[in-house]
Amino acid sequence: MSELNVVLPVRVSEDRLDILERISYFALDSKIPDNVFFTVVDDGSSKQHAKLIEQKCADLNIKYLRVESEKEYFSAGRARNHAAQSIDSKLIMFQDVDLMPYDGFYEQALNECYIQELDRFADRFVMFGVVYLTEIATKEYLNTKKSYQKSLFLNYLSENNKEKIDKFSTGTSVIIWRRDHYLCTGGNDTEFEGWGFEDLEYTCRAIRRNRKFPLPNQFLLDYKNFMTIQEFKGWKSVYRLHGDITFNKGIVMFHSWHPVNPKSPYIKRKVDNKALFEKKLSDFSREKIEPASLPRLSKGKSLVFRSNPWTVNRWTSPNLGEVVVIDENRFSSSSLTNFILQNNISRVIFHNPYASDKLIELYNVVRDRKIPYIVCERGALRGSVFLDTNGFNADSSSYNSEYWDKEISFNERENVVSYIKDEKNNSDSLEIQKEKVSKKKLRKKIGISDGKKVLFVPLQRPTDTVIKYFSGPIKSYENFISLIRALAYALPEDWEIVVKKHPLEIESPEIQGVYYANHENVKSLIELSDTVLVINSGVGVESMIYGKPVLVAGRAFYNHKGLCLSVSSVEDVLKGLFFKPDDEKTLRFLSYLINDFYSFGVFKTRVVDWIDGSKMTATTAIDYYCVRFPNEEEMFLERNEDPYIKTSSILFDRYRDANGSIRFGATVSEIKTTKKSVKKDSISEYKKDSISEYGKEKASISPLSRKLRKLKRDPGLFLRDTRYPFLRSIGRLIK
């Protein structure tokens, strides 16, 4: 896998034959690192021109891809998406074929990915500014000594040399993305056809996902342009800040001049695309509406029996390739095998393979015939998911000691210890719980006297898959209840049993001689306990976090020597009261789950009625922030809600007034209205002195003067605000 693949979308036509030569512009950088590759995506050039492009790519030793879209408008977004789906690289950069680098650009660009920690956080991105050259300057750039190019033309920019520099922008589509994240978030929306806005729309989504900067209150407003904007107002004001980071370091690209035909059908799409952009900007801001994830083409096809947030999810679906959903009851053992062979199915996706007799049958067929499969289910830690290619819970080999019983690094150890601390201070658990209380308060509430030791027994659901199929030595839920009844009279005098029913069960079994704590927080009960007894509940893993001895009566994926102790009789439990888990092994096992095996996300759930009259928790959505898909690199999402670059940064200097306050470009009435409804991710620090000064200035200027100043400052905005329709249509053409 390459580290970075630079994608050049093109369509060659008779009036743009110059594109053939511009494909080679990337080679102006003679210091391209070995792990940076280039791909040209031909979006619908004629067959004749396509042969010329393919030959050019062969001469340059770069990859050529083609999209059969000759009868459609050229779509840079479609080309970008196809490249992201087709190539194999960690990072992907989209570059206009008209852009020229300088010597060392790509090495600096790649370095910037690590400086800005794109390698760690998949939802970050790195943007680069562009300096647009005039026709005469383009010729000069190509003939300038390499060691001078960047410095000379940035000097022209500093001098405001209009003969050489047409304009510049730090808010651009020249961006490096994590390819996995790009695919998960649907890439460029292909509803955009022809010229523009698909790149802006996608980047605005990315800006809202990861709050590197605070958002301006009027984010949806199309205000001024990237080069001249001086107020922190509208999406452009925050968009350009991403490019300012690299622009301030002198990492830029130079746009070579070419003629533009404003009457071409491609350019005429600009007005429609702008309207579509504004609608989609609003849709995502308010309702998070966006395109579906994009499948990786190399991943083939996945057969899914039950489509739900576990099996088909935005954050995992790209690695499933094309998803084929068919109900399990449509198959027999033999027809499943034939279907998989005839339709080139690459893998089978199960949620709970024990959820029905038919699924068990198909699960066994898939395993016996060594057909690749993945089981996707909830893990034993809060917010965890496992994507397992080796089985389901206790029948999986993924928990064998060879995977986890080995020395862990300092960072892994620190991460586990940090996780343990966080979990101990958090009341949430696998199921909905009350708030935690102290051991002393809980002991008094339950009625257990000081000095008494506690055997905690968290009951499971009698109908759960793990009870029905993984009861192991205890054989059944009923036998487990009988064991508790016997223990109530067999435990030493200084021990008591505390029982908690499963939160979704309606009734508790009647057991004499035990204390019930059905409505207490399970973590508080673990803290209170001296030993925990389970069949195979996920509470067993939670108990390991607290360093408690865990006695296991059934088959559990975590029941390994040194971690837990197997029991099936009163005698086993009495001996197990003196069991001491191996602290180092426990840490290693937890490290494996937390650092290597489990994925993590935020679950959206609701409690629903089940067929037997009981309740169950239905997961309606999983918003992953850590995805560990089998045999793929971890995708960790930072998901900043509070910006980590504040307005005190020098990047905001362009938005400050003489007093150092941020200019918001809003009227007094707008400020008052906005202050009442400001959200935590928006700027709300409006200075009273700035407001009063703005009011005084406004009062001293006549309406005509204000209109003339508006026309001079932003002609496009002035025309779009007019009451005359024909002038508004002209205004839409001015960006």
Side-chain angles (χ1 to χ4, degrees):
M1 178 187 291
S2 64
E3 192 72 5
L4 171 63
N5 202 304
V6 180
V7 173
L8 307 169
V10 302
R11 177 178 287 187
V12 173
S13 58
E14 285 301 312
D15 61 342
R16 283 303 310 269
L17 290 174
D18 61 312
I19 287 176
L20 286 169
E21 287 306 313
R22 290 171 183 245
I23 289 172
S24 62
Y25 275 173
F26 74 89
L28 291 171
D29 181 356
S30 63
K31 300 176 181 179
I32 299 172
D34 293 337
N35 55 352
V36 176
F37 292 81
F38 295 82
T39 298
V40 168
V41 187
D42 174 9
D43 184 65
S45 298
S46 68
K47 301 296 184 189
Q48 177 185 358
H49 292 135
K51 290 180 181 179
L52 297 175
I53 301 170
E54 189 170 10
Q55 183 58 54
K56 183 70 173 180
C57 291
D59 294 343
L60 293 168
N61 195 28
I62 61 177
K63 189 176 183 67
Y64 170 80
L65 295 174
R66 176 169 172 80
V67 180
E68 296 296 342
S69 55
E70 191 172 351
K71 295 179 181 179
E72 308 290 338
Y73 287 115
F74 171 64
S75 169
R78 181 170 55 225
R80 293 173 187 134
N81 290 355
H82 183 70
Q85 292 177 269
S86 304
I87 62 179
D88 189 20
S89 66
K90 180 176 180 178
L91 305 170
I92 188 167
M93 175 178 169
F94 300 128
Q95 179 181 317
D96 189 321
V97 73
D98 297 312
L99 296 178
M100 302 181 292
Y102 53 84
D103 232 17
F105 169 79
Y106 293 107
E107 182 178 15
Q108 286 186 319
L110 186 56
N111 289 343
E112 200 63 23
C113 294
Y114 300 103
I115 292 169
Q116 296 193 38
E117 298 188 293
L118 185 54
D119 57 321
R120 290 183 57 202
F121 304 116
D123 48 346
R124 291 190 181 187
F125 58 92
V126 178
M127 183 185 293
F128 303 96
V130 172
V131 178
Y132 292 78
L133 306 183
T134 61
E135 183 176 10
I136 189 174
T138 298
K139 294 176 182 177
E140 181 182 350
Y141 187 92
L142 292 170
N143 291 299
T144 297
K145 186 178 179 181
K146 286 184 179 295
S147 59
Y148 287 1
Q149 277 176 328
K150 181 177 78 169
S151 184
L152 175 61
F153 284 82
L154 287 181
N155 196 62
Y156 289 151
L157 176 65
S158 299
E159 295 171 345
N160 195 27
N161 188 327
K162 297 294 186 181
E163 184 181 347
K164 305 293 179 67
I165 305 299
D166 181 28
K167 61 181 179 179
F168 77 95
S169 177
T170 59
T172 75
S173 63
V174 189
I175 300 174
I176 298 180
W177 307 96
R178 273 279 292 264
R179 187 173 63 95
D180 48 9
H181 187 261
Y182 182 86
L183 293 172
C184 289
T185 51
N188 283 185
D189 194 322
T190 53
E191 284 190 47
F192 291 94
E193 294 181 321
W195 189 91
F197 290 99
E198 76 289 325
D199 52 336
L200 300 178
E201 190 273 334
Y202 180 73
T203 306
C204 283
R205 274 190 269 144
I207 288 171
R208 295 192 73 94
R209 284 190 194 281
N210 187 307
R211 306 293 172 84
K212 176 176 281 192
F213 300 102
L215 296 184
N217 287 318
Q218 301 176 66
F219 182 83
L220 302 181
L221 185 65
D222 184 2
Y223 185 64
K224 296 195 175 181
N225 63 56
F226 289 127
M227 187 167 69
T228 62
I229 190 166
Q230 297 293 322
E231 296 96 2
F232 196 57
K233 177 180 179 179
W235 58 269
K236 289 177 185 174
S237 64
V238 67
Y239 191 117
R240 69 155 292 159
L241 292 176
H242 291 268
D244 285 343
I245 295 173
T246 51
F247 198 81
N248 287 346
K249 300 178 184 181
I251 309 174
V252 300
M253 299 201 84
F254 297 90
H255 186 277
S256 61
W257 179 90
H258 63 82
V260 175
N261 179 8
K263 295 183 179 180
S264 71
Y266 173 70
I267 297 296
K268 283 184 176 180
R269 291 290 305 169
K270 180 177 180 180
V271 174
D272 291 337
N273 282 350
K274 184 177 188 300
L276 183 62
F277 164 73
E278 290 172 346
K279 179 183 181 301
K280 290 185 176 294
L281 196 67
S282 176
D283 287 346
F284 184 76
S285 174
R286 295 190 172 100
E287 301 178 50
K288 296 294 184 287
I289 297 174
E290 61 183 327
S293 60
L294 298 169
R296 288 177 58 183
L297 300 182
S298 63
K299 286 295 184 175
K301 297 180 182 179
S302 294
L303 173 61
V304 176
F305 298 120
R306 299 185 179 188
S307 179
N308 57 44
W310 306 93
T311 57
V312 182
N313 185 290
R314 171 179 297 281
W315 302 105
T316 58
S317 287
N319 287 316
L320 300 183
E322 180 184 343
V323 174
V324 180
V325 181
I326 302 178
D327 185 272
E328 70 262 19
N329 293 304
R330 299 284 298 276
F331 294 105
S332 65
S333 297
S334 58
S335 69
L336 175 64
T337 304
N338 291 335
F339 181 86
I340 289 171
L341 292 174
Q342 292 170 6
N343 291 276
N344 297 315
I345 298 297
S346 307
R347 67 197 64 79
V348 180
I349 309 299
F350 294 93
H351 176 208
N352 179 349
Y354 293 89
S356 70
D357 291 340
K358 174 59 71 173
L359 278 173
I360 294 172
E361 175 191 343
L362 302 181
Y363 180 54
N364 288 332
V365 168
V366 167
R367 299 188 87 190
D368 292 344
R369 298 180 185 176
K370 301 188 184 305
I371 297 169
Y373 68 93
I374 303 175
V375 179
C376 314
E377 246 287 22
R378 185 176 75 167
L381 297 174
R382 184 172 57 87
S384 66
V385 179
F386 60 78
L387 306 170
D388 196 344
T389 58
N390 296 313
F392 176 78
N393 279 335
D395 76 17
S396 173
S397 61
S398 294
Y399 306 98
N400 290 353
S401 59
E402 63 193 81
Y403 293 111
W404 59 266
D405 194 6
K406 50 192 175 184
E407 189 173 348
I408 58 178
S409 69
F410 175 82
N411 287 339
E412 289 170 333
R413 188 177 299 271
E414 288 291 298
N415 195 33
V416 175
V417 171
S418 177
Y419 182 92
I420 289 172
K421 290 177 182 176
D422 288 344
E423 280 301 297
K424 285 183 175 181
N425 287 282
N426 192 312
S427 292
D428 295 338
S429 188
L430 294 175
E431 300 290 350
I432 298 173
Q433 304 284 335
K434 292 177 63 176
E435 287 295 313
K436 288 179 64 179
V437 297
S438 67
K439 288 196 293 184
K440 184 176 181 180
K441 185 175 181 179
L442 182 59
R443 184 179 287 269
K444 182 177 180 181
K445 188 175 181 180
I446 296 174
I448 298 177
S449 59
D450 293 340
K452 288 276 191 174
K453 295 181 180 178
V454 173
L455 176 65
F456 173 44
V457 184
L459 297 181
Q460 295 169 245
R461 310 199 72 189
T463 56
D464 269 0
T465 295
V466 291
I467 295 297
K468 191 174 181 181
Y469 297 100
F470 300 114
S471 286
I474 202 67
K475 296 183 180 178
S476 70
Y477 181 81
E478 291 73 21
N479 287 348
F480 185 68
I481 298 302
S482 296
L483 174 62
I484 301 170
R485 289 190 176 112
L487 284 170
Y489 296 97
L491 285 180
E493 291 295 325
D494 58 343
W495 281 81
E496 299 289 359
I497 299 176
V498 175
V499 173
K500 175 180 169 62
K501 74 176 179 66
H502 191 281
L504 295 177
E505 285 296 296
I506 298 172
E507 297 179 351
S508 302
E510 292 186 10
I511 306 173
Q512 296 294 323
V514 304
Y515 291 86
Y516 284 95
N518 289 335
H519 304 294
E520 302 304 325
N521 187 289
V522 69
K523 291 184 176 180
S524 296
L525 292 167
I526 293 172
E527 286 182 332
L528 177 66
S529 69
D530 294 278
T531 301
V532 179
L533 172 62
V534 298
I535 299 179
N536 48 25
S537 169
V539 177
V541 178
E542 287 188 278
S543 300
M544 290 182 191
I545 289 174
Y546 286 83
K548 302 294 182 177
V550 180
L551 310 182
V552 181
R555 286 179 63 200
F557 69 89
Y558 53 82
N559 188 13
H560 295 279
K561 185 177 181 181
L563 299 182
C564 305
L565 187 68
S566 294
V567 297
S568 59
S569 66
V570 170
E571 291 73 21
D572 290 341
V573 175
L574 293 177
K575 292 178 183 177
L577 296 176
F578 301 98
F579 168 67
K580 298 295 182 186
D582 185 313
D583 290 341
E584 180 60 24
K585 284 194 172 186
T586 299
L587 206 63
R588 290 179 179 184
F589 185 75
L590 291 173
S591 174
Y592 172 65
L593 297 182
I594 295 165
N595 293 319
D596 300 307
F597 187 63
Y598 278 167
S599 299
F600 290 90
V602 177
F603 296 176
K604 184 178 180 180
T605 63
R606 59 188 176 92
V607 176
V608 298
D609 294 324
W610 194 229
I611 53 178
D612 61 359
S614 63
K615 302 289 184 180
M616 71 169 290
T617 301
T619 300
T620 58
I622 305 172
D623 191 15
Y624 284 92
Y625 55 85
C626 175
V627 179
R628 295 189 175 111
F629 197 92
N631 304 312
E632 296 295 333
E633 186 169 353
E634 172 188 275
M635 182 173 67
F636 186 82
L637 308 175
E638 188 177 28
R639 296 281 172 78
N640 281 323
E641 290 188 3
D642 296 319
Y644 62 89
I645 299 182
K646 311 296 183 183
T647 56
S648 55
S649 165
I650 61 171
L651 294 170
F652 282 85
D653 284 355
R654 69 181 295 107
Y655 302 129
R656 299 189 206 285
D657 60 19
N659 297 319
S661 299
I662 300 296
R663 289 189 298 267
F664 297 97
T667 65
V668 176
S669 60
E670 285 175 335
I671 292 173
K672 288 180 179 178
T673 302
T674 307
K675 285 182 73 176
K676 294 178 182 178
S677 60
V678 68
K679 297 180 179 179
K680 67 177 180 179
D681 62 344
S682 302
I683 297 295
S684 59
E685 303 88 350
Y686 296 100
K687 303 294 185 181
K688 290 182 179 179
D689 55 345
S690 299
I691 295 172
S692 61
E693 287 175 7
Y694 183 92
K696 290 176 182 177
E697 179 188 10
K698 182 179 178 183
S700 64
I701 301 174
S702 69
L704 178 61
S705 297
R706 283 200 299 273
K707 288 182 178 180
L708 291 174
R709 289 175 63 173
K710 183 176 181 180
L711 174 62
K712 182 179 180 181
R713 184 174 65 246
D714 195 334
L717 182 62
F718 175 87
L719 292 173
R720 289 195 294 274
D721 284 348
T722 184
R723 59 194 175 108
Y724 299 105
F726 76 97
L727 290 178
R728 287 202 300 271
S729 63
I730 296 173
R732 293 191 192 100
L733 297 174
I734 303 175
K735 192 173 180 181

